[in-house]
Amino acid sequence: MGIKFERVDFKYQGIDNKGYLALSDIVLNINPTGEFITLIGETGSGKSTLVQHMNALLTPTGGTVTIFGVKINQEIKKKKKVKLNPIRKQVGLVFQFPEYQLFEETVLKDVMFGPKNYGISHNEAIKKAKEAIDIVGLDDSYLERSPFNLSGGEKKRVSIAGILAMEPDILILDEPTSGLDPLGKESLLGVFNEIHQRTNKTIIIITHDMNTVYNYAKRVLVMREGTLVYDGSPQALFSRSNIDNWNLDVPDILTLTKALETRLNITIHPAPKNKEQLLNRLKEVLT
Ligand SMILES: Nc1ncnc2c1ncn2[C@@H]1O[C@H](COP(=O)(O)OP(=O)(O)OP(=O)(O)O)[C@@H](O)[C@H]1O
Ligand SMILES: [Mg+2]
């Protein structure tokens, strides 16, 4: 089942009645389990708009999105009310800007909101919230603080905890590590990776960081001007020459490999996925 896009268009309504076509003819299938996807592309290419279709926050203006068997399109919107609550519980979306998500008086109340809203007891919601707050790397001293008086990175962590606490089947994170320091970034990516390894849940991360793409993703989606221009493995993406046209950086490990090849006049093939593989290849070649 999972999430299926069938020829999806999305137009933001403008004041001039012309609107702005942010998504065009998207065809895409996402499996309900087992995927670790990164979604990349230039600023304004439609990444955030695309993921807001994955839990029915936005309704396509053309085509259909089917989320765990529930069809979302213009005809259905007109005809009857579709129950969106189960979808929002199944597909958890962490917004790019935490301010859009945080609203309660305290961090604890904010993180509890999701699980409570989906029918578990008050005490169970407190337990789930505390666990999630701990997982994202915040200690108990944050529980009674206002989410609005936190730093950008702390707000980000609270908004992630709020979605983790709901235990969605599919977890989507819109630039979860932007604004975090390098250590915080790695530890959060480790958290998402650990959830994926332990539960086999599908995880989708929007990022501008090619190291994240190369180190973690099994599948990469590239958006460009509202269309999906690539859907495949990171290894194949970075071996293509047209990444220049898509304004993408090259992961550090590949830049380093290339520099070593030139400096030492050797060929390292296939391209290493991480530092350990690079070291092993170097040992093979040089000894
Ligand atoms: N509420 C809105 N009304 C009108 N146009 C919008 C709205 N939100 C986004 N857009 C436009 O739609 C396009 C896609 O925006 P979107 O936020 O999906 O891009 P993005 O790929 O997530 O970019 P970024 O990397 O900067 O987050 C942009 O050109 C943007 O200006
Ligand atoms: Mg965005």
Side-chain angles (χ1 to χ4, degrees), residues 1-5 28-33 35 66-71 90 170:
M1 290 248 255
I3 305 172
K4 185 174 186 175
F5 283 68
L28 175 64
N29 270 306
I30 289 162
N31 291 320
T33 57
E35 300 235 49
T66 308
I67 307 162
F68 286 101
V70 181
K71 280 189 189 306
Q90 280 177 299
I170 294 182

Side-chain angles (χ1 to χ4, degrees), residues 17-65:
N17 243 350
K18 261 167 61 194
Y20 179 82
L21 192 63
L23 295 180
S24 178
D25 207 15
I26 304 289
V27 176
L28 175 64
N29 270 306
I30 289 162
N31 291 320
T33 57
E35 300 235 49
F36 201 117
I37 298 173
T38 50
L39 171 55
I40 62 177
E42 290 172 287
T43 288
S45 57
K47 303 179 298 296
S48 295
T49 308
L50 184 73
V51 296
Q52 287 173 62
H53 283 77
M54 295 183 185
N55 73 348
L57 273 176
L58 294 176
T59 302
T61 48
T64 301
V65 179

